[in-house]
Amino acid sequence: MAERWEQAAFKARVDEVLHRFVADEADLLAAVDPALAPVAEQVEAAVAVGKRLRSAFCYWGWRAARQPESEALLRAAASMELVHAAAVVHDDLIDDSPLRHGLPTAHVALGGAVRHHPRAADAARSLAMLVGDLLMSLAGQLFATSGLPAAYLGRARPLWAALARELIAGECLEILHTGAAPDTAASLKVIRYKTAKYTVEQPLLIGGALAGAGTGLRDGYSAYGLPLGEAFQLRDDLLGLFGDPRRTGKAESDDVRGHRPTALLAETWRVAGAEERERLRGLLGRPDLDEEGLEAVREVMRRLGTPDRVENMIAARVEEALGALHELDVPAPATAALTALAHSAAIRLS
């Protein structure tokens, strides 16, 4: 493990695996009937771009356990990106988000395929739901056919059940808390289950399980992965409202219009006075919220110092994650790579 890891080169390798695998599957889908072409296009679009962080964490869960470079492991790690793609398609559908990576989301893009349908909007949403379902199925297929020995795959299989269960639990909790009185503890629980676990902790644990990692190392992965995953989503919350949409590729008003249970909103509510809460009540959850209303929400948050508090929450979690990492007995290249990945996850502009 003396070689220096290049994150961009790794991403390119994952992209090649994903694009080839998904293109082949999309072709098979479209071959069933020409009418399926728009659906197949959205399956491919779902994996067209991405940071490939989840693949990287899975890869280093394997390498930190002192396993060698492996093309089969790379394919298994790439399957994590199909889990993410499925989650994104479903999340955009649940949240009715119009944009992702600066392009129409699946349920918006598929509107053109069902113009003739008597309930066109509902039909497009149904197609998007099925795209997400297919992507999750393809994740399991890519993992199972990665080329790793069956005994290795068997060690990781129980973690796939946990990954799906926890991801769905987080999505359900977000829906259940949307529109309710903001609460920081509830928001952090949503973050942990909806994002933190499947973004960092579970990919690391799956990579470790494939490698035969012991209990101590797996516990260390969780101690590193959970706070880092939370930091990742807290950064996403900040970028969602205060970031540049040209960089994030998402609509900046989504969280406010949807009255979603973000930690950013919950922390604002926690310290807000009666007048500020009344102001927020008149703005949150309004589908017709304009830029002036959105800026009014930002102004309340700035006045109460919420962005700075969330930045501090991010910094504390990154520090906790790196502290746990440096307690682990892993090769130096793994420590260096996981340190770099921590900064990539938590300190970003998109």
Side-chain angles (χ1 to χ4, degrees), residues 42-79:
Q42 287 308 304
V43 173
E44 289 195 80
V47 298
V49 297
K51 300 176 183 68
R52 312 313 186 200
L53 291 174
R54 293 157 187 86
S55 292
F57 286 121
C58 184
Y59 175 87
W60 284 105
W62 164 273
R63 296 299 304 277
R66 293 179 164 79
Q67 288 282 8
E69 172 66 32
S70 163
E71 286 300 316
L73 185 280
L74 185 78
R75 286 176 59 81
S79 71

Side-chain angles (χ1 to χ4, degrees), residues 57 192 196-197 200-202 204-205 214-231 316-328 338 342:
F57 286 121
R192 174 163 288 207
K197 283 177 165 286
V200 186
E201 184 199 26
Q202 289 288 7
L204 276 168
L205 289 174
T215 302
L217 184 55
R218 295 197 307 270
D219 288 347
Y221 286 169
S222 291
Y224 164 88
L226 280 172
L228 181 58
E230 290 179 1
R317 282 161 172 77
V318 172
E319 183 178 357
E320 180 184 349
L322 292 178
L325 172 62
H326 291 294
E327 291 295 316
L328 293 179
L338 290 169

Side-chain angles (χ1 to χ4, degrees), residues 186-198:
S187 294
L188 290 174
K189 192 166 192 177
V190 169
I191 283 173
R192 174 163 288 207
Y193 283 91
K194 182 189 169 188
T195 303
K197 283 177 165 286
Y198 98 89

Side-chain angles (χ1 to χ4, degrees), residues 3-319:
E3 77 278 9
R4 185 168 179 267
W5 184 62
E6 294 289 346
Q7 193 167 337
F10 176 83
K11 178 186 178 304
R13 291 172 65 200
V14 172
D15 282 345
E16 184 178 359
V17 169
L18 278 176
H19 294 163
R20 181 180 302 146
F21 175 77
V22 174
D24 288 346
E25 291 295 329
D27 286 346
L28 290 171
L29 178 65
V32 173
D33 191 287
L36 291 168
V39 180
E41 287 172 10
Q42 287 308 304
V43 173
E44 289 195 80
V47 298
V49 297
K51 300 176 183 68
R52 312 313 186 200
L53 291 174
R54 293 157 187 86
S55 292
F57 286 121
C58 184
Y59 175 87
W60 284 105
W62 164 273
R63 296 299 304 277
R66 293 179 164 79
Q67 288 282 8
E69 172 66 32
S70 163
E71 286 300 316
L73 185 280
L74 185 78
R75 286 176 59 81
S79 71
M80 299 291 101
E81 301 302 332
L82 288 166
V83 173
H84 177 54
V88 164
V89 170
H90 285 153
D91 194 49
D92 287 340
L93 181 59
I94 291 165
D95 293 341
D96 201 23
S97 297
L99 291 175
R100 174 75 62 166
H101 300 302
L103 297 171
T105 48
H107 63 281
V108 175
L110 286 164
V114 289
R115 290 193 189 95
H116 62 281
H117 197 285
R119 296 188 351 263
D122 289 341
R125 295 174 69 83
S126 296
L127 288 175
M129 177 185 69
L130 293 168
V131 167
D133 291 348
L134 179 57
L135 287 163
M136 185 62 86
S137 173
L138 292 178
Q141 182 182 335
L142 180 57
F143 185 80
T145 61
S146 62
L148 288 171
Y152 288 30
L153 297 173
R155 291 194 295 249
R157 191 168 293 117
L159 292 174
W160 273 82
L163 183 154
R165 180 175 57 250
E166 291 171 348
L167 174 56
I168 289 170
E171 285 283 8
C172 289
L173 284 172
E174 183 178 60
I175 292 168
L176 291 166
H177 289 298
T178 292
D183 177 82
T184 300
S187 294
L188 290 174
K189 192 166 192 177
V190 169
I191 283 173
R192 174 163 288 207
Y193 283 91
K194 182 189 169 188
T195 303
K197 283 177 165 286
Y198 98 89
T199 297
V200 186
E201 184 199 26
Q202 289 288 7
L204 276 168
L205 289 174
I206 287 171
L210 291 169
T215 302
L217 184 55
R218 295 197 307 270
D219 288 347
Y221 286 169
S222 291
Y224 164 88
L226 280 172
L228 181 58
E230 290 179 1
F232 175 89
Q233 184 56 46
L234 288 168
R235 174 64 62 201
D236 220 46
D237 288 352
L238 275 176
L239 289 171
L241 191 54
F242 291 94
D244 183 349
R246 292 170 298 182
R247 286 182 176 272
T248 65
K250 294 187 280 189
E252 59 187 341
S253 60
D254 278 3
D255 289 343
V256 176
R257 284 178 177 159
H259 197 170
R260 294 175 195 154
T262 65
L264 184 64
L265 173 59
E267 276 296 288
T268 301
W269 191 265
R270 184 177 64 82
V271 299
E275 183 178 339
E276 288 151 337
R277 287 188 176 187
E278 188 60 31
R279 178 71 170 136
L280 289 171
R281 282 191 192 96
L283 296 167
L284 297 172
R286 283 179 47 184
D288 62 341
L289 190 73
D290 58 15
E291 179 57 37
E292 183 179 348
L294 195 60
E295 185 56 33
V297 174
R298 292 194 194 99
E299 179 52 35
V300 171
M301 291 180 171
R302 291 191 193 99
R303 189 165 63 248
L304 295 174
T306 311
D308 289 339
R309 282 200 308 283
V310 173
E311 286 285 1
N312 290 338
M313 291 166 71
I314 293 168
R317 282 161 172 77
V318 172
E319 183 178 357

